[in-house]
């Protein structure tokens, strides 16, 4: 059968064909000692699998051709397929990459078994070697191995050819919400084994210290030779042969002469169990011996001893009901698309660890194998998800028998590959594929093969989380309102642990109400957490001049989430595609360059290992961990006074068991209640030693309590000073301002505002283009009162400003009356613009990072200072950003210390940046924004919370800005 014969099978439209001549998946790691075939391959892109050949060029392996300027560019769709053909069909225009290179087969491999491993190919792989058909594989996120022994000659070069077809029957079950790419996304290897080889190794290591190692042995030469045996050592300690197992096998005649099984066992005394907090690993070396004792094959594994079980409605790790503080993570890179290096993955997981995450869901497919090694090592619980998402045609496919083999194939191969990782605590059958018999078939396979881990699948636990569906042991809804989760847990009908597979959608400026969500989870038995959607903003670095992906060598990564000039973060629609889902691809807690978004600090605090309480004069330190003490942490006290001071003191951490707390003395004398202002106590917690994910001194959390409230009886300052000047429009004239204070009711819509429909409503009301009409101006002594009115689609808004000269400045008391119809606006406050040159903001309030009313738990009150340009958060699609919550006062100053000072009557939401709200709203990407020379300053008496309405619940009622009367007051002074 020649190349054309393989093509003649048209495997890209044959869901029953999951593979041909592919070797069984196993957990033997062949990465070390293999010959890497990564690098530059000859390449051509055909218009279809059977299209005529063209010119050879070169392409990177691993790499997707969609990121290598081949004319076939990335395309982003969420639910819908990018083509109209129904499963299992594909469009006639079907880009097909042909990769070819010559490989010198080492002469010393003579007599050995030679295996080719393709790390991952998207979406169908056809392999030919020396012109002979070698195999076919599907599943874009798992490796395929083929035995080349019969088709290559050691000492001679061999020609390896991959034909990679982009669209296939498999595309219909790889319809994840991400960029469509095509190519070879993981490394290609060639390795050799003895004809007698380890076909698989299964490790079981419960936390009681028992270790069971099952080995499968094969011989390609025929029946297994007499006398082979397996040995294994754990950190040097030899395991014993399980003779009982051997005897039973022999008695039952279960093992034939070509099928070898060996089991070894031991018990580790005083075992150090593995948990995400204590990722203790042991080294296991497994060796296969020939009869003469020489070693035919070996395999190395890192073993973690731990238990996972569901008891009642709790998921237990080592007997503890651990909270799952998870993130959904894709294999993504802004320069390569999908190809990620070990360093990339380590950097991802390090960021997650530093911000308090303890779990990853490999959304929505098995990730690069190295990710699991890193999760074992760094300590993260993993929900390993199979590569099945048929979102657009979910209902048809879930019960379609033609797709049955693919479901079982994908789930079982994932389990066979990953079963030995202690980090993996749950298998997931896939995502958004409805629920059908194909799922139950796959679940059945897993239950028999790996009874040590639960299974989850959202589709099976959707309609009623209490349903006893075969396929899901966990109720794992997505974006369920927290009130519904609580109601379920209290209903008496809950039968399964409730861990949301996705919650808190991180699109743009989002993730409102995370703290309230977690307060509910922690206080409601039966609720155990969830996985934030998602880790990455999948912006692809794009050159603006020619619209091409910057590619692997792309310069233009700049740090801080922004791109270098001439570049931008591309999202759906930016590569000229007409079918796409826009910026919905940018919904992660980190920017495409892995810069953490402000929500990460919120999460870090909520998840922090240490909490503080101060109740009736008693200060307590709480250990919020499940398994360890506070020995690995160091801390420092900060006493923050309203007088502008911050005093520091060492904070020796007491011994506190997991889940416990200890009273500690106040590090400073308790403030007098009559003292001038409020006082805050912050505990700055850092790592005491180098951790695998953080060097010594890394900040871990900054819990804070209020020791004294602000005095309430401060009388307003008496009128004094020079008279207030207004212009002919009754607007304030002030030397520091280029645009006078006016009413603002609108913000540049966030993604949540847009997709939740609020932005459209605000636009219909005319809030984005308020027209001011002065109704009355009157002088009352030295005070000037200006009454104006703004027409809106829901009735007029009355706005009053009362200007009073006070020592060194002006006090401005404002009020706004919103008609009943204007019952949900973005903000009520003041906006003004300053002269250029005021480039540093010093403030007393929450910070230092961006915070909003429903995302401010992680931003402690303090005396903060940042350059104005560093205040702004460059969300991919420009939108409201850079706000600071709970601001009491601030100065905006030039290097010569001139500038202005603002004191707010009550803590408010303040933002200072270079853009008007309408500048932000008009731009689609940051390269379109032109910074204004001065600052645009917003002081809000009320600001709508962020919510998560782009996918999930809107802002909760308590964080909405209602109609009616709003009053605020502030004082403006010149520095
Ligand atoms: C979920 C889905 C994810 C993603 C998310 C929205 O429905 O599982 O893949 O689409 O919503 O960003
Ligand atoms: Mg989807």
């Amino acid at each position: 059968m020649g190349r054309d014969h393989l093509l003649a099978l048209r495997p890209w439209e044959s869901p029953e064909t999951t593979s041909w001549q592919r070797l069984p998946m196993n957990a033997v790691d062949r990465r070390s000692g293999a010959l890497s075939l990564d690098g530059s391959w000859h390449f051509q892109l055909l218009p279809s699998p059977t299209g005529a050949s063209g010119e050879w060029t070169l392409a990177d392996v691993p790499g997707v051709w969609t990121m290598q300027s081949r004319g076939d560019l990335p395309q982003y769709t969420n639910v819908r397929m990018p083509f109209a053909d129904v499963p299992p069909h594909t469009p006639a225009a079907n880009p097909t990459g042909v990769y070819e290179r010559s490989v010198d087969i080492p002469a010393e491999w003579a007599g050995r078994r030679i295996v080719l491993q393709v790390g991952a190919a998207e979406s169908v792989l056809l392999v030919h070697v020396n012109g002979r058909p070698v195999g076919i594989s599907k599943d874009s996120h798992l490796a395929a191995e083929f035995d080349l022994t019969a088709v290559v000659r050691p000492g001679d070069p061999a020609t390896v050819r991959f034909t990679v077809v982009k669209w296939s029957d498999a595309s219909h079950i790889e319809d994840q919400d991400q960029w469509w790419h095509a190519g070879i996304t993981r490394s290609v290897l060639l390795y050799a084994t003895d004809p007698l080889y380890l076909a698989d190794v299964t490790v079981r290591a419960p936390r009681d210290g028992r270790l069971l190692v099952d080995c499968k042995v094969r011989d390609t030469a025929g029946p297994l030779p007499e006398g082979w045996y397996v040995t294994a050592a754990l950190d040097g300690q030899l395991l014993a042969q399980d003779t009982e197992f051997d005897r039973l096998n022999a008695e039952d005649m279960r093992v034939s002469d070509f099928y070898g099984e060996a089991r070894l066992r031991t018990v580790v005394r005083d075992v150090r169990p593995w948990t995400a907090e204590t990722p203790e690993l042991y080294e296991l070396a497994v060796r296969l011996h020939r009869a003469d004792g020489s070693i035919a094959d070996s395999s190395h594994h890192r073993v973690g001893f731990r238990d996972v079980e569901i008891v009642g409605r709790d998921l237990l790790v080592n007997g503890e009901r651990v909270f799952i503080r998870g993130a959904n993570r894709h294999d993504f890179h802004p320069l390569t698309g999908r190809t990620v290096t070990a360093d990339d993955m380590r950097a991802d997981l390090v960021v997650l660890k530093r911000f308090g995450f303890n779990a990853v869901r490999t959304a929505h497919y098995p990730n690069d194998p190295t990710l699991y090694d890193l999760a074992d090592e760094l300590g993260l619980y993993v929900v390993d998800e199979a590569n099945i998402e048929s979102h657009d045609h979910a209902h048809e496919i879930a019960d379609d028998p033609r797709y049955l083999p693919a479901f079982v194939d994908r789930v079982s191969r994932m389990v066979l590959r990953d079963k030995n990782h202690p980090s993996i605590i749950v298998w997931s059958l896939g995502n958004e594929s409805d629920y059908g018999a194909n799922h139950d078939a796959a679940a059945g396979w897993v239950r028999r093969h790996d009874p040590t881990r639960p299974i989850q699948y959202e589709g099976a636990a959707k309609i009623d989380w209490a349903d006893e569906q075969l396929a899901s042991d966990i109720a794992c809804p997505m974006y369920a309102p927290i009130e519904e989760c609580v109601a379920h847990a209290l209903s008496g009908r809950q039968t399964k642990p409730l861990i949301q597979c996705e919650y808190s959608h991180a699109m743009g400026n989002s993730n409102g109400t995370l703290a309230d969500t977690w307060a509910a989870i922690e206080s409601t038995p039966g609720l155990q957490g969830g996985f934030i959607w998602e880790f990455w903003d999948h912006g692809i670095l794009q050159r603006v001049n020619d619209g091409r992906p910057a590619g692997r060598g792309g310069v233009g990564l700049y740090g801080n989430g922004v791109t270098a000039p001439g570049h931008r973060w591309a999202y759906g629609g930016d590569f000229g595609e007409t079918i796409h889902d826009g910026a919905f691809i940018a919904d992660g807690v980190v920017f495409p360059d892995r810069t953490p978004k402000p929500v990460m600090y919120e999460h870090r605090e909520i998840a922090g290992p240490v909490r503080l309480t101060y109740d009736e004069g008693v200060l307590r330190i709480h250990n919020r961990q499940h398994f360890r003490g506070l020995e690995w942490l160091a801390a420092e006290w900060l006493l923050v006074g309203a007088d502008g001071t911050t005093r520091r003191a060492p904070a020796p951490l007491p011994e506190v068991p997991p889940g416990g707390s200890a009273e500690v003395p106040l590090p400073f004398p308790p403030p007098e209640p009559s003292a001038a202002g409020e006082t805050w106590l912050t505990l700055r917690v850092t790592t005491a030693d180098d951790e695998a994910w953080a060097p010594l001194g890394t900040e871990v959390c900054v819990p804070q309590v209020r020791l004294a409230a602000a005095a309430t009886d401060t009388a307003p300052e008496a009128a004094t000073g020079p008279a207030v000047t207004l212009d002919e429009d009754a607007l304030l004239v002030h030397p520091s301002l280029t645009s006078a204070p006016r009413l603002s009711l609108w913000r540049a819509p966030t993604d949540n505002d847009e997709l939740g429909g609020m932005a459209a409503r605000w636009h219909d009301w005319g809030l984005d283009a308020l027209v001011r009409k002065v109704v009355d101006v009157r002088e009352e002594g030295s005070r000037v009162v200006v009454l104006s009115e703004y027409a809106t689609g829901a009735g007029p808004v009355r706005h009053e400003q009362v200007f009073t000269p006070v020592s060194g400045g002006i006090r401005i008391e404002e009020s706004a009356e919103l008609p009943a119809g204007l019952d949900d606006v973005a903000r009520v406050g003041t906006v003004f613009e300053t002269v250029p040159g005021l480039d540093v903001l010093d403030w007393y309030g929450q910070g230092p990072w961006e915070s909003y009313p429903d995302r401010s738990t992680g931003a402690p009150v303090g005396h903060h200072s940042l350059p104005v340009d560093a205040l702004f958060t460059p969300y991919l699609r420009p939108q409201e950003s850079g706000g600071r919550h709970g601001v009491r006062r601030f100065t905006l100053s030039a290097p010569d210390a001139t500038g202005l000072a603002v004191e707010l009557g009550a803590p408010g939401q303040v933002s200072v940046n270079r853009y008007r709200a309408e500048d932000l709203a008009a731009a689609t990407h940051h390269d379109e924004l032109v910074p204004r020379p001065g600052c645009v300053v917003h002081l809000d008496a009320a600001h709508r919370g962020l919510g998560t309405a782009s996918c999930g619940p809107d802002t909760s009622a308590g964080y909405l800005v209602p109609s009616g009367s709003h009053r605020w007051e502030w004082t403006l002074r010149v520095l």
Side-chain angles (χ1 to χ4, degrees):
M1 193 158 68
R3 167 172 177 245
D4 293 341
H5 290 86
L6 258 197
L7 288 171
L9 291 172
R10 298 181 60 82
W12 54 90
E13 286 192 329
S14 168
E16 303 86 346
T17 310
T18 57
S19 69
W20 177 68
Q21 293 210 146
R22 188 177 63 193
L23 296 173
M25 183 59 93
N26 61 78
V28 181
D29 186 354
R30 301 293 183 182
R31 281 171 288 182
S32 64
L35 194 68
S36 167
L37 302 192
D38 290 351
S40 206
W41 285 55
H42 295 290
F43 178 78
Q44 48 179 293
L45 188 61
L46 313 181
S48 71
T50 50
S53 304
E55 291 276 297
W56 287 105
T57 56
L58 293 174
D60 290 335
V61 171
V64 288
W65 67 69
T66 36
M67 294 288 282
Q68 296 181 45
S69 293
R70 304 287 159 183
D72 181 27
L73 288 164
Q75 177 178 3
Y76 164 56
T77 65
N78 171 11
V79 177
R80 57 186 148 167
M81 289 296 289
F83 51 81
D85 310 70
V86 298
H89 301 294
T90 55
N94 190 356
T96 300
V98 182
Y99 295 79
E100 198 172 285
R101 66 166 277 180
S102 166
V103 182
D104 291 325
I105 308 295
E108 59 273 22
W109 285 4
R112 292 175 67 78
R113 167 181 168 263
I114 298 171
V115 178
L116 171 73
Q117 184 189 85
V118 182
E122 193 154 341
S123 72
V124 183
L125 171 71
L126 280 60
V127 182
H128 293 82
V129 175
N130 291 335
R132 293 168 63 183
V134 161
I136 297 174
S137 181
K138 291 179 194 170
D139 192 335
S140 300
H141 299 277
L142 283 176
E145 291 192 333
F146 305 97
D147 190 334
L148 300 191
T149 317
V151 290
V152 297
R153 289 237 313 247
D156 282 358
T159 303
V160 179
R161 171 187 283 232
F162 300 145
T163 305
V164 180
V165 184
K166 181 173 184 179
W167 304 124
S168 67
D169 55 85
S171 308
H172 294 283
I173 54 169
E174 297 186 354
D175 181 22
Q176 289 95 356
D177 177 2
Q178 60 173 342
W179 293 100
W180 291 99
H181 287 295
I184 293 171
T185 55
R186 294 185 193 145
S187 291
V188 179
L189 310 174
L190 203 58
Y191 65 86
T193 71
D194 195 87
L196 178 69
Y197 66 99
L198 283 167
D200 199 6
V201 174
T202 303
V203 179
R204 297 257 156 93
R207 110 184 110 129
D208 60 12
R210 276 178 302 136
L211 177 65
L212 293 179
V213 179
D214 280 323
C215 304
K216 289 198 193 319
V217 174
R218 295 274 198 284
D219 194 318
T220 40
L224 286 159
E226 283 293 313
W228 63 267
Y229 62 98
V230 176
T231 61
L234 186 80
D235 280 356
Q237 174 190 330
L238 272 184
L239 275 65
Q241 203 78 31
D242 189 335
T243 44
E244 180 60 10
F245 175 79
D246 296 345
R247 191 185 59 77
L248 283 175
N249 269 345
E251 252 176 30
D252 300 355
M253 291 191 298
R254 275 199 294 207
V255 178
S256 55
D257 61 356
F258 65 91
Y259 180 75
E261 274 186 294
R263 177 180 286 179
L264 299 112
R265 61 190 324 154
T266 192
V267 177
V268 177
R269 308 254 161 251
D270 302 321
V271 71
R272 301 182 308 276
W274 186 97
T275 70
E277 292 172 14
T278 58
E280 296 281 357
L281 293 173
Y282 293 73
E283 298 287 330
L284 174 71
V286 179
R287 296 194 177 88
L288 169 63
H289 302 261
R290 303 182 191 94
D292 63 2
S294 58
I295 296 171
D297 199 2
S298 62
S299 182
H300 293 266
H301 303 262
R302 287 192 303 182
V303 177
F305 290 84
R306 60 114 190 82
D307 293 333
V308 184
E309 62 195 316
I310 291 178
V311 176
R313 51 183 187 168
D314 296 328
L315 174 72
L316 306 181
V317 174
N318 294 349
E320 287 291 317
R321 171 181 171 250
V322 295
F323 287 120
I324 300 296
R325 304 180 184 276
N328 282 280
R329 178 191 167 280
H330 275 280
D331 279 342
F332 166 80
H333 195 279
L335 302 183
T336 65
R338 285 225 219 291
T339 300
V340 287
T341 64
D343 287 346
D344 291 329
M345 288 179 272
R346 180 178 288 273
D348 294 356
L349 299 193
V350 159
V351 168
L352 287 171
K353 288 287 285 186
R354 286 196 191 173
F355 287 92
F357 290 86
N358 70 356
V360 170
R361 171 170 173 243
T362 68
H364 296 304
Y365 41 79
N367 286 180
D368 187 293
T370 302
L371 184 104
Y372 306 83
D373 298 335
L374 291 165
D376 293 344
E377 178 192 320
L378 297 171
L380 285 152
Y381 303 118
V382 174
V383 171
D384 200 9
E385 186 149 288
N387 181 20
I388 301 173
E389 175 162 345
S390 58
H391 206 157
D392 201 7
H393 300 289
H395 184 61
E396 303 94 291
I397 288 178
D399 284 299
D400 185 335
R402 293 173 300 176
Y403 276 95
L404 171 63
F407 276 58
V408 178
D409 185 66
R410 285 164 186 250
V411 172
S412 64
R413 293 180 77 237
M414 169 181 77
V415 173
L416 287 165
R417 185 190 75 162
D418 294 338
K419 58 187 175 247
N420 294 337
H421 289 281
S423 55
I424 298 173
I425 58 167
V426 176
W427 302 116
S428 162
L429 302 179
N431 188 56
E432 298 190 318
S433 303
D434 205 327
Y435 179 40
N438 294 345
H439 290 103
D440 283 348
W445 188 93
V446 180
R447 295 208 187 283
R448 175 78 188 189
H449 190 84
D450 178 23
T452 72
R453 293 178 180 91
I455 299 175
Q456 75 174 49
Y457 176 57
E458 185 252 351
K462 199 175 206 152
I463 299 141
D464 182 338
W465 306 332
D467 266 3
E468 290 295 341
Q469 301 287 14
L470 191 63
S472 194
D473 301 318
I474 295 173
C476 47
M478 44 172 79
Y479 312 106
I482 188 66
E483 303 76 32
E484 271 180 37
C485 297
V486 171
H488 176 62
L490 299 179
S491 68
R493 299 189 54 242
Q494 183 182 9
T495 56
K496 302 170 185 167
L498 200 161
I499 302 170
Q500 295 218 49
C501 70
E502 296 175 25
Y503 82 104
S504 198
H505 196 243
M507 183 179 185
N509 193 359
S510 183
N511 306 101
T513 338
L514 212 47
D516 307 72
T517 300
W518 271 96
I521 292 170
E522 291 185 6
S523 59
T524 312
L527 304 189
Q528 253 187 281
F531 296 80
I532 285 189
W533 187 266
E534 67 173 307
F535 182 66
W536 284 113
D537 258 4
H538 303 223
I540 291 177
L541 190 71
Q542 182 185 37
R543 299 194 301 248
V544 177
N545 60 354
D546 62 4
R548 294 286 165 143
R552 195 187 280 269
V555 288
L557 284 184
Y558 217 54
N560 295 328
V562 283
T563 60
H567 293 76
R568 65 178 186 178
W569 298 125
Y571 51 76
D574 289 341
F575 293 106
E577 69 275 36
T578 47
I579 299 177
H580 66 82
D581 288 300
F584 206 64
I585 191 70
D587 54 0
V589 291
V590 300
F591 286 100
D593 64 358
R594 210 183 280 108
T595 301
K597 289 185 182 175
V599 58
M600 290 293 260
Y601 294 93
E602 182 80 348
H603 188 272
R604 190 183 76 171
E605 202 54 50
I606 294 166
V610 178
R611 237 170 248 178
L612 265 190
T613 51
Y614 182 62
D615 219 4
E616 297 182 359
V618 178
L619 185 63
R620 297 191 81 84
I621 289 186
H622 301 254
N623 177 358
R624 302 291 305 160
Q625 304 168 98
H626 297 288
F627 299 104
R628 62 182 160 170
L630 305 179
E631 316 76 54
W632 63 286
L633 298 167
E636 170 187 41
W637 293 112
L638 277 72
L639 188 74
V640 178
D643 57 359
T645 59
T646 304
R647 288 158 64 199
R648 289 161 190 271
L653 290 172
E655 231 174 78
V656 191
S661 73
E663 184 179 341
V664 290
L666 270 182
F668 302 94
E672 291 293 319
S674 62
E678 55 181 353
T679 314
W680 296 84
L681 183 65
T682 310
L683 186 66
R684 185 169 173 271
V685 182
T686 54
T687 48
D689 286 302
D690 288 339
E691 297 287 329
W693 48 272
L696 182 157
T698 303
E699 199 168 271
V700 171
C701 56
V702 281
Q704 183 176 59
V705 290
R706 193 172 68 176
L707 295 186
T712 47
D713 55 349
T714 44
E717 215 178 318
T720 135
V724 172
T725 319
L726 302 186
D727 66 9
E728 63 277 14
D729 295 323
L731 289 166
L732 179 70
V733 177
H734 190 278
S736 303
L737 307 189
T738 55
S739 172
R742 295 161 187 260
L743 177 70
S744 172
L745 301 176
W746 187 67
R747 66 184 178 200
T750 62
D751 292 312
N752 289 333
D753 296 340
E754 287 286 356
L755 295 171
M758 289 73 84
R761 214 158 54 229
W762 298 336
H763 176 73
D764 290 346
W765 284 336
L767 304 187
D768 47 354
L770 286 182
V771 178
R772 175 170 170 269
K773 194 178 89 195
V774 179
V775 176
D776 185 31
V777 182
R778 58 178 195 278
E779 291 185 17
E780 296 176 354
S782 58
R783 304 179 348 145
V784 187
V785 180
V786 179
L787 187 62
S788 28
E789 200 174 273
Y790 298 82
T792 78
V797 176
R798 297 214 128 207
H799 177 221
E800 188 186 71
Q801 289 180 315
V802 181
F803 299 96
T804 309
V806 292
S807 96
I810 306 164
R811 183 167 71 240
I812 304 153
E813 292 152 277
E814 308 198 45
S815 67
E817 285 296 329
L818 274 57
L822 223 52
D823 57 355
D824 177 11
V825 300
R827 59 167 28 124
V828 177
T830 307
V831 60
F832 60 82
E833 291 174 26
T834 75
V835 294
L838 310 185
D839 292 339
V840 173
L841 183 79
D842 287 277
W843 77 101
Y844 173 50
Q846 292 187 249
W849 28 81
E850 179 191 275
S851 54
Y852 283 83
D854 59 351
R855 207 189 65 213
S856 63
T857 299
V861 175
H863 303 290
H864 305 289
S865 177
L866 278 174
V868 168
D869 290 329
L871 293 166
F872 186 71
T873 313
Y875 296 110
L876 257 61
R877 197 189 59 76
Q879 54 196 278
E880 159 66 32
S881 75
R884 298 297 189 278
H885 189 60
V887 176
R888 282 98 167 133
R889 61 170 186 259
F890 63 87
T891 65
L892 203 44
S893 60
D896 64 2
T898 60
L900 57 85
V902 167
E903 181 120 18
L904 286 83
Q909 180 80 18
V910 167
S911 82
V912 179
N913 63 47
R914 305 277 183 211
Y915 311 106
R916 292 183 184 158
E918 59 262 35
D919 300 340
L920 295 169
T924 65
H925 296 75
H926 282 270
D927 60 300
E928 298 161 14
L929 285 172
V930 184
R932 292 180 182 271
C935 297
V936 179
V937 181
H938 279 273
L939 320 175
D940 294 332
H943 192 104
R944 192 185 204 271
L946 299 166
T948 59
S950 53
C951 184
D954 186 13
T955 306
S956 11
Y959 301 105
L960 297 178
V961 180
S963 57
S965 171
H966 295 261
R967 296 182 172 278
W968 65 108
E969 148 193 349
W970 52 292
T971 308
L972 174 65
R973 289 190 167 87
V974 174
L975 284 180

